[in-house]
């Protein structure tokens, strides 16, 4: 019922974690293997281990979360070692996330990955909004094209990019034109909505420490923006570039809407952080009820088939 074809592989479920959640350590990654997620992704890696931003750097609210993590991770070698062990025991491909502190470091990391035995999917994060002093690369269209040109001059493994939210139709058109020039496997849309601010009214202060309280907004707050970006890219990108929908997936209804907009896979961040790995089973159960009610026996019957209102 939940099978989805992603490139040349069929996953048993469209659900997976969003990079940054439940994927720092091998123990957390193993917990995803034991869940009903179809596959999973590593923490975004940098060349060396990073502590990330000072705490508190994550805060939950009723409708979502704010974070300014600053790419904490255990370093490239740690995750590559994990991947090598995983691939000895499992045939389901996993995702490896790369989000280094500079584009040159990204390129060096991808060259190492190219020369390794990793045979899953690579996600290049062009949209981290939470590293102080570092702008989001994917808002600079010329730089994005330059980086992808250099990467695809040597990288031959399946690679996709994680994008920030875009808010203007012209920007959808412009970035899609650039992305269509490259043999991308997928686009992951969206990363958190950058530089929001949440206030504790009792203390009359911000709730996280880095960047004077500014951070990425996730959860229910961002679902309409996420859906718009998924739909915009589904209707603009080459059919060979699949969409991973991320943002505001709390229920089976949210998952259904992302799939209806054209997503092939779905990543869950804030709600996974709040609920733990049982979230995957709950959302799939809720999605099954919706599909049964509507008479759908598989996801392909409604994926991408969002209707507009005609005159």
């Amino acid at each position: 019922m939940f099978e989805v074809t992603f490139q040349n592989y069929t996953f048993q479920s469209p659900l997976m974690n969003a990079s940054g959640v439940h994927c720092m350590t091998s123990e957390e990654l193993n917990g995803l293997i034991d869940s009903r997620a179809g596959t999973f992704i590593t923490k975004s890696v940098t060349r060396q281990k990073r502590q990330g931003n000072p705490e508190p750097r994550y805060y939950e609210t009723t409708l979502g979360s704010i974070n300014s993590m600053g790419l904490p991770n255990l370093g490239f070698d740690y995750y590559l070692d994990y991947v090598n062990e995983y691939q000895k025991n499992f045939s389901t491909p996993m995702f490896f996330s790369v989000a280094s502190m500079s584009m040159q470091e990204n390129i060096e990391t991808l060259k190492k990955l190219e020369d390794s035995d990793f045979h899953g999917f690579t996600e290049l994060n062009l949209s981290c909004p939470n590293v102080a002093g570092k702008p989001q690369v994917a808002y600079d269209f010329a730089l994005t094209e330059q980086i992808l040109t250099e990467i695809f001059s040597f990288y031959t493994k399946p690679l996709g990019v994680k994008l920030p939210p875009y808010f203007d139709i012209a920007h959808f058109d412009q970035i899609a034109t650039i992305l269509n020039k490259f043999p991308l496997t997928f686009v992951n849309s969206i990363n958190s909505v950058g530089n929001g601010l949440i206030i504790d009214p009792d203390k009359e202060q911000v709730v996280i420490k880095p960047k004077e309280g500014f951070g990425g907004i996730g959860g229910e707050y961002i679902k309409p923006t996420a859906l718009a970006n998924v739909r915009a890219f589904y209707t603009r990108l080459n059919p060979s570039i699949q969409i991973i929908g991320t943002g505001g997936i709390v229920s089976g209804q949210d998952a259904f809407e992302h799939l209806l907009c054209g997503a092939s896979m779905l990543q869950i961040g804030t709600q996974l952080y709040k609920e733990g790995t049982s979230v995957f089973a709950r959302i799939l159960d809720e999605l099954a009820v919706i599909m049964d009610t509507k008479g759908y026996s598989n996801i392909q019957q409604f994926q991408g088939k969002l209707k507009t209102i005609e005159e």
Side-chain angles (χ1 to χ4, degrees), residues 1-5 10-14 36 256 259 283-303:
M1 182 181 217
F2 300 122
E3 285 187 351
V4 290
T5 300
T10 299
F11 291 107
Q12 298 304 305
S13 158
R36 286 187 66 191
F256 178 80
L259 293 165
I283 287 177
L284 287 176
D285 289 345
E286 293 172 1
L287 179 58
V289 172
I290 293 169
M291 290 173 63
D292 285 341
T293 300
K294 292 177 172 288
Y296 295 130
S297 58
N298 61 66
I299 287 171
Q300 291 68 38
Q301 290 172 327
F302 63 90
Q303 182 186 17

mmCIF file of all heavy atoms in Angstrom, residues 1-5 10-14 36 256 259 283-303:
data_model
loop_
_atom_site.group_PDB
_atom_site.id
_atom_site.type_symbol
_atom_site.label_atom_id
_atom_site.label_comp_id
_atom_site.label_asym_id
_atom_site.label_seq_id
_atom_site.Cartn_x
_atom_site.Cartn_y
_atom_site.Cartn_z
ATOM 1 N N MET A 1 0.822 -1.227 0.000
ATOM 2 C CA MET A 1 0.000 0.000 0.000
ATOM 3 C C MET A 1 0.849 1.268 0.000
ATOM 4 O O MET A 1 0.522 2.263 -0.621
ATOM 5 C CB MET A 1 -0.919 -0.016 1.220
ATOM 6 C CG MET A 1 -1.854 1.178 1.311
ATOM 7 S SD MET A 1 -2.894 1.127 2.766
ATOM 8 C CE MET A 1 -4.419 1.782 2.115
ATOM 9 N N PHE A 2 1.970 1.228 0.727
ATOM 10 C CA PHE A 2 2.788 2.431 0.904
ATOM 11 C C PHE A 2 4.044 2.426 0.046
ATOM 12 O O PHE A 2 4.885 3.311 0.180
ATOM 13 C CB PHE A 2 3.194 2.585 2.374
ATOM 14 C CG PHE A 2 2.039 2.700 3.328
ATOM 15 C CD1 PHE A 2 1.902 1.794 4.371
ATOM 16 C CD2 PHE A 2 1.091 3.697 3.179
ATOM 17 C CE1 PHE A 2 0.837 1.898 5.255
ATOM 18 C CE2 PHE A 2 0.030 3.807 4.059
ATOM 19 C CZ PHE A 2 -0.103 2.900 5.101
ATOM 20 N N GLU A 3 4.193 1.445 -0.820
ATOM 21 C CA GLU A 3 5.409 1.362 -1.623
ATOM 22 C C GLU A 3 5.564 2.591 -2.511
ATOM 23 O O GLU A 3 4.600 3.065 -3.109
ATOM 24 C CB GLU A 3 5.383 0.112 -2.499
ATOM 25 C CG GLU A 3 5.637 -1.178 -1.745
ATOM 26 C CD GLU A 3 5.762 -2.371 -2.677
ATOM 27 O OE1 GLU A 3 5.483 -2.201 -3.890
ATOM 28 O OE2 GLU A 3 6.132 -3.452 -2.208
ATOM 29 N N VAL A 4 6.787 3.089 -2.586
ATOM 30 C CA VAL A 4 7.098 4.208 -3.472
ATOM 31 C C VAL A 4 8.383 3.896 -4.232
ATOM 32 O O VAL A 4 9.330 3.341 -3.670
ATOM 33 C CB VAL A 4 7.253 5.539 -2.709
ATOM 34 C CG1 VAL A 4 5.920 6.025 -2.185
ATOM 35 C CG2 VAL A 4 8.243 5.404 -1.559
ATOM 36 N N THR A 5 8.386 4.241 -5.499
ATOM 37 C CA THR A 5 9.584 4.048 -6.309
ATOM 38 C C THR A 5 10.375 5.345 -6.320
ATOM 39 O O THR A 5 9.865 6.406 -6.679
ATOM 40 C CB THR A 5 9.214 3.653 -7.749
ATOM 41 O OG1 THR A 5 8.480 2.428 -7.702
ATOM 42 C CG2 THR A 5 10.465 3.458 -8.595
ATOM 43 N N THR A 10 12.577 0.596 -4.817
ATOM 44 C CA THR A 10 11.244 0.673 -4.226
ATOM 45 C C THR A 10 11.357 0.610 -2.717
ATOM 46 O O THR A 10 11.822 -0.401 -2.152
ATOM 47 C CB THR A 10 10.343 -0.475 -4.721
ATOM 48 O OG1 THR A 10 10.210 -0.369 -6.144
ATOM 49 C CG2 THR A 10 8.964 -0.394 -4.087
ATOM 50 N N PHE A 11 10.969 1.691 -2.063
ATOM 51 C CA PHE A 11 10.930 1.726 -0.603
ATOM 52 C C PHE A 11 9.566 1.259 -0.116
ATOM 53 O O PHE A 11 8.544 1.496 -0.772
ATOM 54 C CB PHE A 11 11.204 3.145 -0.092
ATOM 55 C CG PHE A 11 12.616 3.621 -0.311
ATOM 56 C CD1 PHE A 11 12.902 4.577 -1.273
ATOM 57 C CD2 PHE A 11 13.662 3.114 0.448
ATOM 58 C CE1 PHE A 11 14.210 5.019 -1.480
ATOM 59 C CE2 PHE A 11 14.962 3.542 0.258
ATOM 60 C CZ PHE A 11 15.242 4.504 -0.708
ATOM 61 N N GLN A 12 9.542 0.616 1.041
ATOM 62 C CA GLN A 12 8.295 0.082 1.586
ATOM 63 C C GLN A 12 7.451 1.154 2.260
ATOM 64 O O GLN A 12 6.294 0.908 2.607
ATOM 65 C CB GLN A 12 8.601 -1.046 2.581
ATOM 66 C CG GLN A 12 9.309 -2.233 1.946
ATOM 67 C CD GLN A 12 8.527 -2.807 0.771
ATOM 68 O OE1 GLN A 12 7.352 -3.159 0.910
ATOM 69 N NE2 GLN A 12 9.168 -2.884 -0.400
ATOM 70 N N SER A 13 7.993 2.316 2.435
ATOM 71 C CA SER A 13 7.275 3.439 3.040
ATOM 72 C C SER A 13 7.900 4.723 2.527
ATOM 73 O O SER A 13 9.116 4.779 2.314
ATOM 74 C CB SER A 13 7.377 3.381 4.570
ATOM 75 O OG SER A 13 7.149 4.662 5.151
ATOM 76 N N PRO A 14 7.108 5.790 2.337
ATOM 77 C CA PRO A 14 7.684 7.052 1.884
ATOM 78 C C PRO A 14 8.313 7.868 3.009
ATOM 79 O O PRO A 14 8.918 8.900 2.754
ATOM 80 C CB PRO A 14 6.472 7.797 1.306
ATOM 81 C CG PRO A 14 5.325 7.309 2.126
ATOM 82 C CD PRO A 14 5.628 5.862 2.420
ATOM 83 N N ARG A 36 9.257 2.099 11.386
ATOM 84 C CA ARG A 36 8.534 1.886 10.128
ATOM 85 C C ARG A 36 8.895 2.934 9.066
ATOM 86 O O ARG A 36 8.200 3.081 8.067
ATOM 87 C CB ARG A 36 7.028 1.875 10.378
ATOM 88 C CG ARG A 36 6.566 0.582 11.046
ATOM 89 C CD ARG A 36 5.061 0.502 11.140
ATOM 90 N NE ARG A 36 4.429 0.407 9.828
ATOM 91 C CZ ARG A 36 3.116 0.531 9.630
ATOM 92 N NH1 ARG A 36 2.312 0.756 10.669
ATOM 93 N NH2 ARG A 36 2.600 0.442 8.416
ATOM 94 N N PHE A 256 -0.528 12.913 3.338
ATOM 95 C CA PHE A 256 -1.368 12.798 2.146
ATOM 96 C C PHE A 256 -1.258 14.052 1.288
ATOM 97 O O PHE A 256 -1.124 13.973 0.057
ATOM 98 C CB PHE A 256 -2.817 12.561 2.559
ATOM 99 C CG PHE A 256 -3.778 12.471 1.406
ATOM 100 C CD1 PHE A 256 -3.906 11.294 0.685
ATOM 101 C CD2 PHE A 256 -4.545 13.566 1.041
ATOM 102 C CE1 PHE A 256 -4.782 11.208 -0.392
ATOM 103 C CE2 PHE A 256 -5.428 13.489 -0.031
ATOM 104 C CZ PHE A 256 -5.549 12.311 -0.749
ATOM 105 N N LEU A 259 2.083 14.273 -0.564
ATOM 106 C CA LEU A 259 2.096 13.334 -1.689
ATOM 107 C C LEU A 259 1.208 13.835 -2.821
ATOM 108 O O LEU A 259 1.561 13.729 -3.997
ATOM 109 C CB LEU A 259 1.638 11.957 -1.216
ATOM 110 C CG LEU A 259 2.582 11.249 -0.232
ATOM 111 C CD1 LEU A 259 1.870 10.083 0.444
ATOM 112 C CD2 LEU A 259 3.846 10.767 -0.933
ATOM 113 N N ILE A 283 1.671 7.812 11.702
ATOM 114 C CA ILE A 283 1.338 8.550 10.479
ATOM 115 C C ILE A 283 0.942 7.592 9.352
ATOM 116 O O ILE A 283 -0.008 7.858 8.608
ATOM 117 C CB ILE A 283 2.501 9.471 10.080
ATOM 118 C CG1 ILE A 283 2.564 10.656 11.060
ATOM 119 C CG2 ILE A 283 2.352 9.973 8.645
ATOM 120 C CD1 ILE A 283 3.710 11.612 10.827
ATOM 121 N N LEU A 284 1.620 6.475 9.232
ATOM 122 C CA LEU A 284 1.243 5.506 8.211
ATOM 123 C C LEU A 284 -0.154 4.932 8.474
ATOM 124 O O LEU A 284 -0.945 4.745 7.542
ATOM 125 C CB LEU A 284 2.267 4.372 8.137
ATOM 126 C CG LEU A 284 3.615 4.717 7.497
ATOM 127 C CD1 LEU A 284 4.570 3.532 7.590
ATOM 128 C CD2 LEU A 284 3.457 5.170 6.058
ATOM 129 N N ASP A 285 -0.463 4.665 9.732
ATOM 130 C CA ASP A 285 -1.807 4.168 10.072
ATOM 131 C C ASP A 285 -2.865 5.197 9.704
ATOM 132 O O ASP A 285 -3.929 4.853 9.159
ATOM 133 C CB ASP A 285 -1.888 3.825 11.556
ATOM 134 C CG ASP A 285 -1.091 2.574 11.932
ATOM 135 O OD1 ASP A 285 -0.719 1.814 11.009
ATOM 136 O OD2 ASP A 285 -0.836 2.371 13.136
ATOM 137 N N GLU A 286 -2.594 6.457 9.990
ATOM 138 C CA GLU A 286 -3.552 7.521 9.657
ATOM 139 C C GLU A 286 -3.674 7.692 8.144
ATOM 140 O O GLU A 286 -4.767 7.916 7.615
ATOM 141 C CB GLU A 286 -3.120 8.832 10.313
ATOM 142 C CG GLU A 286 -3.214 8.810 11.834
ATOM 143 C CD GLU A 286 -2.601 10.037 12.495
ATOM 144 O OE1 GLU A 286 -2.109 10.933 11.771
ATOM 145 O OE2 GLU A 286 -2.603 10.103 13.736
ATOM 146 N N LEU A 287 -2.555 7.573 7.453
ATOM 147 C CA LEU A 287 -2.578 7.677 5.993
ATOM 148 C C LEU A 287 -3.378 6.521 5.387
ATOM 149 O O LEU A 287 -4.124 6.708 4.419
ATOM 150 C CB LEU A 287 -1.153 7.686 5.446
ATOM 151 C CG LEU A 287 -0.984 7.759 3.925
ATOM 152 C CD1 LEU A 287 -1.645 9.005 3.351
ATOM 153 C CD2 LEU A 287 0.507 7.721 3.550
ATOM 154 N N ALA A 288 -3.256 5.331 5.963
ATOM 155 C CA ALA A 288 -4.001 4.168 5.466
ATOM 156 C C ALA A 288 -5.502 4.392 5.560
ATOM 157 O O ALA A 288 -6.254 4.032 4.643
ATOM 158 C CB ALA A 288 -3.596 2.918 6.241
ATOM 159 N N VAL A 289 -5.950 4.994 6.650
ATOM 160 C CA VAL A 289 -7.380 5.277 6.822
ATOM 161 C C VAL A 289 -7.862 6.238 5.737
ATOM 162 O O VAL A 289 -8.925 6.042 5.128
ATOM 163 C CB VAL A 289 -7.652 5.853 8.229
ATOM 164 C CG1 VAL A 289 -9.097 6.341 8.339
ATOM 165 C CG2 VAL A 289 -7.369 4.804 9.296
ATOM 166 N N ILE A 290 -7.085 7.278 5.476
ATOM 167 C CA ILE A 290 -7.449 8.256 4.439
ATOM 168 C C ILE A 290 -7.515 7.586 3.075
ATOM 169 O O ILE A 290 -8.466 7.779 2.305
ATOM 170 C CB ILE A 290 -6.439 9.422 4.428
ATOM 171 C CG1 ILE A 290 -6.543 10.226 5.723
ATOM 172 C CG2 ILE A 290 -6.669 10.335 3.215
ATOM 173 C CD1 ILE A 290 -5.418 11.221 5.923
ATOM 174 N N MET A 291 -6.520 6.776 2.760
ATOM 175 C CA MET A 291 -6.479 6.111 1.459
ATOM 176 C C MET A 291 -7.643 5.132 1.309
ATOM 177 O O MET A 291 -8.289 5.069 0.257
ATOM 178 C CB MET A 291 -5.134 5.401 1.279
ATOM 179 C CG MET A 291 -3.967 6.366 1.092
ATOM 180 S SD MET A 291 -2.334 5.554 1.092
ATOM 181 C CE MET A 291 -2.466 4.499 -0.344
ATOM 182 N N ASP A 292 -7.939 4.390 2.370
ATOM 183 C CA ASP A 292 -9.070 3.448 2.320
ATOM 184 C C ASP A 292 -10.380 4.185 2.093
ATOM 185 O O ASP A 292 -11.220 3.774 1.285
ATOM 186 C CB ASP A 292 -9.137 2.642 3.615
ATOM 187 C CG ASP A 292 -8.064 1.573 3.700
ATOM 188 O OD1 ASP A 292 -7.509 1.204 2.651
ATOM 189 O OD2 ASP A 292 -7.774 1.119 4.826
ATOM 190 N N THR A 293 -10.548 5.290 2.799
ATOM 191 C CA THR A 293 -11.783 6.072 2.682
ATOM 192 C C THR A 293 -11.963 6.596 1.260
ATOM 193 O O THR A 293 -13.079 6.642 0.728
ATOM 194 C CB THR A 293 -11.756 7.253 3.672
ATOM 195 O OG1 THR A 293 -11.642 6.739 5.004
ATOM 196 C CG2 THR A 293 -13.021 8.088 3.565
ATOM 197 N N LYS A 294 -10.866 6.974 0.635
ATOM 198 C CA LYS A 294 -10.916 7.532 -0.714
ATOM 199 C C LYS A 294 -10.836 6.461 -1.808
ATOM 200 O O LYS A 294 -10.926 6.780 -2.996
ATOM 201 C CB LYS A 294 -9.783 8.553 -0.895
ATOM 202 C CG LYS A 294 -9.964 9.817 -0.059
ATOM 203 C CD LYS A 294 -8.782 10.756 -0.220
ATOM 204 C CE LYS A 294 -9.032 12.092 0.454
ATOM 205 N NZ LYS A 294 -10.030 12.899 -0.286
ATOM 206 N N GLY A 295 -10.646 5.212 -1.412
ATOM 207 C CA GLY A 295 -10.591 4.132 -2.387
ATOM 208 C C GLY A 295 -9.256 3.975 -3.080
ATOM 209 O O GLY A 295 -9.170 3.391 -4.162
ATOM 210 N N TYR A 296 -8.177 4.478 -2.466
ATOM 211 C CA TYR A 296 -6.842 4.346 -3.044
ATOM 212 C C TYR A 296 -6.145 3.126 -2.453
ATOM 213 O O TYR A 296 -6.075 2.977 -1.233
ATOM 214 C CB TYR A 296 -5.991 5.581 -2.763
ATOM 215 C CG TYR A 296 -6.497 6.861 -3.410
ATOM 216 C CD1 TYR A 296 -6.651 8.023 -2.653
ATOM 217 C CD2 TYR A 296 -6.798 6.911 -4.760
ATOM 218 C CE1 TYR A 296 -7.095 9.205 -3.242
ATOM 219 C CE2 TYR A 296 -7.240 8.079 -5.357
ATOM 220 C CZ TYR A 296 -7.393 9.220 -4.583
ATOM 221 O OH TYR A 296 -7.837 10.386 -5.169
ATOM 222 N N SER A 297 -5.610 2.276 -3.313
ATOM 223 C CA SER A 297 -4.887 1.096 -2.843
ATOM 224 C C SER A 297 -3.372 1.295 -2.879
ATOM 225 O O SER A 297 -2.622 0.504 -2.309
ATOM 226 C CB SER A 297 -5.262 -0.128 -3.684
ATOM 227 O OG SER A 297 -4.974 0.103 -5.065
ATOM 228 N N ASN A 298 -2.932 2.364 -3.549
ATOM 229 C CA ASN A 298 -1.500 2.684 -3.548
ATOM 230 C C ASN A 298 -1.308 4.184 -3.730
ATOM 231 O O ASN A 298 -2.217 4.902 -4.162
ATOM 232 C CB ASN A 298 -0.750 1.901 -4.626
ATOM 233 C CG ASN A 298 -1.240 2.216 -6.034
ATOM 234 O OD1 ASN A 298 -1.083 3.331 -6.531
ATOM 235 N ND2 ASN A 298 -1.864 1.228 -6.683
ATOM 236 N N ILE A 299 -0.124 4.650 -3.400
ATOM 237 C CA ILE A 299 0.178 6.083 -3.406
ATOM 238 C C ILE A 299 0.170 6.650 -4.827
ATOM 239 O O ILE A 299 -0.233 7.808 -5.047
ATOM 240 C CB ILE A 299 1.533 6.320 -2.713
ATOM 241 C CG1 ILE A 299 1.375 6.137 -1.198
ATOM 242 C CG2 ILE A 299 2.088 7.712 -3.032
ATOM 243 C CD1 ILE A 299 2.673 6.144 -0.425
ATOM 244 N N GLN A 300 0.557 5.851 -5.794
ATOM 245 C CA GLN A 300 0.663 6.348 -7.161
ATOM 246 C C GLN A 300 -0.693 6.798 -7.729
ATOM 247 O O GLN A 300 -0.743 7.590 -8.676
ATOM 248 C CB GLN A 300 1.262 5.267 -8.064
ATOM 249 C CG GLN A 300 2.739 4.969 -7.786
ATOM 250 C CD GLN A 300 2.988 4.301 -6.450
ATOM 251 O OE1 GLN A 300 2.203 3.450 -6.032
ATOM 252 N NE2 GLN A 300 4.047 4.691 -5.766
ATOM 253 N N GLN A 301 -1.775 6.322 -7.152
ATOM 254 C CA GLN A 301 -3.110 6.673 -7.660
ATOM 255 C C GLN A 301 -3.459 8.146 -7.414
ATOM 256 O O GLN A 301 -4.336 8.684 -8.088
ATOM 257 C CB GLN A 301 -4.165 5.762 -7.029
ATOM 258 C CG GLN A 301 -4.084 4.322 -7.529
ATOM 259 C CD GLN A 301 -5.011 3.394 -6.762
ATOM 260 O OE1 GLN A 301 -5.251 3.569 -5.575
ATOM 261 N NE2 GLN A 301 -5.551 2.393 -7.449
ATOM 262 N N PHE A 302 -2.801 8.779 -6.463
ATOM 263 C CA PHE A 302 -3.108 10.187 -6.192
ATOM 264 C C PHE A 302 -1.873 11.079 -6.157
ATOM 265 O O PHE A 302 -1.988 12.312 -6.125
ATOM 266 C CB PHE A 302 -3.872 10.327 -4.865
ATOM 267 C CG PHE A 302 -3.099 9.891 -3.641
ATOM 268 C CD1 PHE A 302 -2.305 10.781 -2.935
ATOM 269 C CD2 PHE A 302 -3.177 8.574 -3.181
ATOM 270 C CE1 PHE A 302 -1.601 10.389 -1.804
ATOM 271 C CE2 PHE A 302 -2.479 8.170 -2.051
ATOM 272 C CZ PHE A 302 -1.679 9.076 -1.365
ATOM 273 N N GLN A 303 -0.680 10.512 -6.200
ATOM 274 C CA GLN A 303 0.543 11.308 -6.092
ATOM 275 C C GLN A 303 0.629 12.337 -7.219
ATOM 276 O O GLN A 303 0.508 12.007 -8.401
ATOM 277 C CB GLN A 303 1.760 10.382 -6.138
ATOM 278 C CG GLN A 303 3.074 11.122 -5.992
ATOM 279 C CD GLN A 303 4.255 10.176 -6.186
ATOM 280 O OE1 GLN A 303 4.110 9.078 -6.712
ATOM 281 N NE2 GLN A 303 5.438 10.613 -5.768
#
